[in-house]
Amino acid sequence: MERIYSIMNFILPFEWASPDFMKNALLAVIVVCPLFGTLGTAVVSNRMSFFSDAIGHSSLTGIAIGVILGIREPTVAMMVFSLLLGFAIISVKLKGKASADTIIGVFSSASVALGIVLLSATGNFAKYQRYLVGDILSIRPGEIALLLIAAAGILLVWIFFYNRMLITNLHLTFAKSRGIRTFWIEQIFALVTAATVTLSIRWTGLLVINSLLVLPAAASRFVSRTSRQYLCTSIAISFASGIAGLIISYYIGSASGATIVIINTVLFGLCFLFAAIKRRVQ
């Protein structure tokens, strides 16, 4: 890491980039922003923004189960529970008659309540409250490496299944007629979303993780005409807000995850205004 730090000192001779914890945070932002920007496009297009929110808020239940089972690393317990929850939600959604938001709401409220009950009953709720707001400035080099490996794997899965996911999101019946196994495609989408949310939540915070996924893609829809523009613009907005939010949070002493969300919101508003003005001109 010392060599990487030296390169960063040369490229970024700024006060905010001088501490090692800021360098680590910047590297983490560079790793996760493509994930947020890419995955967010599918989340928004598939009208599943509430799903990613449910996964984030239910992470407390994963932590609680891990504590009861004696699992020392909370991320492991959160990952297993999130994957199982994502699989269950999509299975019920595709095979049940209730609407998607109703099904997600049932699973989300039940899992959140269960997590709070288990953590409070075991006296561990205060210990894990830091997951509510996250702290990207606490990320360590080893965790960045693990995040990079996981991100590479998730992006490979995304690239391989992207076209089938896109068709499934746009028209489920047409996708079935083309021989696409929509059940498993939607399950892959759910598992990738759950994995991304779980890997990032320790540093972003479960209260804002959904906004980090949804806002870049939602802003991109206002200014994009093709699916490629939609994807690239979403990634660009995610990068811009991530880096700007990190820098601003350093100078004003605010929570980095929430500050990034504020920048995302501002960019969303600007994209909305740009689209509105463009429609009037035309």
Side-chain angles (χ1 to χ4, degrees):
M1 288 299 295
E2 292 302 324
R3 181 172 295 181
I4 296 176
Y5 289 162
S6 298
I7 295 173
M8 294 179 73
N9 284 331
F10 178 76
I11 298 175
L12 301 168
F14 308 112
E15 178 190 344
W16 65 268
S18 57
D20 287 349
F21 67 84
M22 285 297 292
K23 293 185 180 70
N24 292 336
L26 179 60
L27 291 173
V29 166
I30 292 172
V31 171
V32 299
C33 278
L35 285 178
F36 288 150
T38 302
L39 184 59
T41 58
V43 170
V44 172
S45 298
N46 205 23
R47 298 179 182 178
M48 291 286 284
S49 57
F50 191 29
F51 172 79
S52 56
D53 193 50
I55 294 295
H57 283 75
S58 64
S59 62
L60 285 176
T61 309
I63 295 173
I65 294 174
V67 170
I68 294 173
L69 296 178
I71 300 175
R72 299 183 62 182
E73 177 51 55
T75 304
V76 175
M78 285 193 299
M79 179 66 74
V80 174
F81 182 78
S82 295
L83 294 177
L84 291 175
L85 181 67
F87 185 87
I89 289 175
I90 296 299
S91 297
V92 176
K93 169 179 171 287
L94 293 177
K95 296 184 178 181
K97 294 183 178 180
S99 62
D101 58 342
T102 300
I103 294 169
I104 294 171
V106 170
F107 276 94
S108 177
S109 56
S111 59
V112 170
L114 179 61
I116 294 174
V117 167
L118 293 177
L119 283 177
S120 58
T122 56
N124 288 288
F125 186 76
K127 180 180 179 181
Y128 293 101
Q129 277 186 329
R130 67 182 186 273
Y131 283 89
L132 295 175
V133 295
D135 185 12
I136 197 171
L137 301 183
S138 67
I139 194 168
R140 299 186 295 270
E143 293 170 330
I144 296 173
L146 179 62
L147 194 62
L148 182 61
I149 294 172
I154 291 172
L155 285 175
L156 283 175
V157 171
W158 191 258
I159 292 170
F160 185 76
F161 291 102
Y162 177 74
N163 288 334
R164 277 169 279 185
M165 285 184 181
L166 180 62
I167 296 173
T168 302
N169 290 341
L170 292 175
H171 203 292
L172 186 64
T173 304
F174 177 73
K176 290 180 179 179
S177 69
R178 301 294 296 177
I180 296 175
R181 297 182 178 180
T182 55
F183 176 82
W184 292 110
I185 292 298
E186 292 217 34
Q187 288 292 0
I188 290 171
F189 161 74
L191 297 181
V192 170
T193 303
T196 303
V197 169
T198 305
L199 287 171
S200 309
I201 207 165
R202 175 184 291 185
W203 305 292
T204 59
L206 64 89
L207 294 178
V208 299
I209 183 66
N210 190 54
S211 300
L212 294 172
L213 278 170
V214 172
L215 283 172
S220 177
R221 293 193 74 171
F222 289 124
V223 296
S224 302
R225 293 185 176 180
T226 66
S227 59
R228 178 172 295 182
Q229 287 180 352
Y230 181 35
L231 179 63
C232 292
T233 305
S234 178
I235 293 174
I237 291 173
S238 184
F239 260 122
S241 59
I243 295 173
L246 182 64
I247 296 172
I248 293 172
S249 69
Y250 172 80
Y251 285 108
I252 68 176
S254 60
S256 299
T259 308
I260 292 171
V261 171
I262 294 297
I263 303 300
N264 262 318
T265 305
V266 172
L267 293 177
F268 175 87
L270 291 175
C271 290
F272 173 79
L273 289 175
F274 175 81
I277 293 171
K278 189 175 181 180
R279 284 197 301 269
R280 286 193 175 186
V281 171
Q282 292 176 346

